[in-house]
Amino acid sequence: MNYLPIFLNIKNKKTLVVGGGEVAHRKVLSLLEFTNDIVIVSSKINFEFKNTIDKYNLSYLQDNYNSKYLEKIDILIVAVDDLQLQKDIYKETKDKKIMCNFSDYEEYCDFILPSYIKKDNLVVCVSTMGSAPAFAKEFKKYIEKLIPNDIDSFLKHMKDLRTSLPKGKKRMDLLRQKAQKYIQNIKQ
């Protein structure tokens, strides 16, 4: 796989999720860490997923997939058990400017949703480029234990310094030294 690890700004990006089962629900839960501009299309939805939709006031269209739902969306996530439907949706989207993720077809994916940790302003992603998702999840748990509880206050302090000090080498050196000192104190 040739996935470039990037952080994508999804502000003002509309996401469509096709599917109402456990996998679709898990992907929506990941998206909710970063946006709630999500529309879900599925003829059936499981109970837990329905609760999430209600809790976050998400748009839910109780319907079978239809290509009309591709209009005005930027990101598409397809998580349905019907493999033929996934292929059909891929054929409909491959020439459109829609970033796609298909739960069973890596070759159709423009992006993957890696295992990640989000603790306030810190986001750490772990990916095995699709080769071993189970390892990525376990390694994420390992890394999560290493993150200090006060990380958010440290990052806020660093942001304040970064925005208040003049740009340039002096600021970069100071921020680097503070980061190194903070990390050194974690190791002790």
Side-chain angles (χ1 to χ4, degrees):
M1 292 286 124
N2 293 323
Y3 293 116
L4 171 68
I6 63 172
F7 284 85
L8 180 67
N9 181 356
I10 59 175
K11 184 179 181 181
N12 301 320
K13 302 277 190 256
K14 185 167 279 308
T15 301
L16 174 68
V17 176
V18 179
E22 184 180 328
V23 173
H25 186 208
R26 223 176 27 245
K27 292 191 180 213
V28 166
L29 289 172
S30 292
L31 288 168
L32 283 169
E33 295 266 5
F34 306 96
T35 186
N36 64 355
D37 196 358
I38 305 167
V39 176
I40 297 104
V41 174
S42 181
S43 59
K44 295 181 281 182
I45 203 151
N46 72 34
F47 180 75
E48 293 85 11
F49 200 175
K50 179 70 172 117
N51 286 341
T52 298
I53 289 168
D54 292 343
K55 179 179 178 182
Y56 293 96
N57 198 29
L58 302 176
S59 297
Y60 169 53
L61 305 171
Q62 188 173 4
D63 195 4
N64 291 317
Y65 167 78
N66 185 306
S67 61
K68 68 182 179 187
Y69 295 125
L70 296 177
E71 294 176 22
K72 297 181 183 175
I73 66 155
D74 303 292
I75 300 169
L76 171 67
I77 296 178
V78 180
V80 295
D81 291 333
D82 185 338
L83 300 182
Q84 185 58 52
L85 177 59
Q86 288 199 46
K87 287 180 185 179
D88 293 343
I89 295 172
Y90 171 71
K91 288 176 188 172
E92 291 176 359
T93 60
K94 70 179 184 174
D95 294 327
K96 297 184 185 297
K97 292 183 179 182
I98 300 172
M99 293 186 61
C100 299
N101 173 273
F102 290 79
S103 61
D104 290 310
Y105 287 102
E106 282 183 31
E107 64 270 23
Y108 296 170
C109 293
D110 295 312
F111 67 96
I112 56 175
L113 296 170
S115 191
Y116 71 89
I117 301 159
K118 184 172 187 310
K119 188 167 183 179
D120 301 310
N121 285 312
L122 179 70
V123 179
V124 179
C125 294
V126 178
S127 175
T128 59
M129 302 301 264
S131 64
F135 173 80
K137 287 179 184 175
E138 293 305 312
F139 195 63
K140 175 191 112 170
K141 291 176 188 175
Y142 170 77
I143 292 171
E144 206 163 19
K145 293 176 189 171
L146 301 175
I147 299 172
N149 290 331
D150 68 341
I151 191 69
D152 194 49
S153 57
F154 173 73
L155 293 176
K156 286 177 182 172
H157 173 68
M158 292 290 281
K159 182 179 181 178
D160 290 343
L161 287 174
R162 188 167 182 251
T163 56
S164 64
L165 296 173
K167 293 180 182 181
K169 184 175 177 356
K170 196 172 181 179
R171 180 181 82 170
M172 287 174 35
D173 290 344
L174 174 69
L175 294 174
R176 187 178 310 107
Q177 289 169 3
K178 287 194 166 290
Q180 288 169 347
K181 183 177 178 182
Y182 182 81
I183 292 168
Q184 188 61 41
N185 285 335
I186 295 171
K187 292 178 183 179
Q188 294 174 358

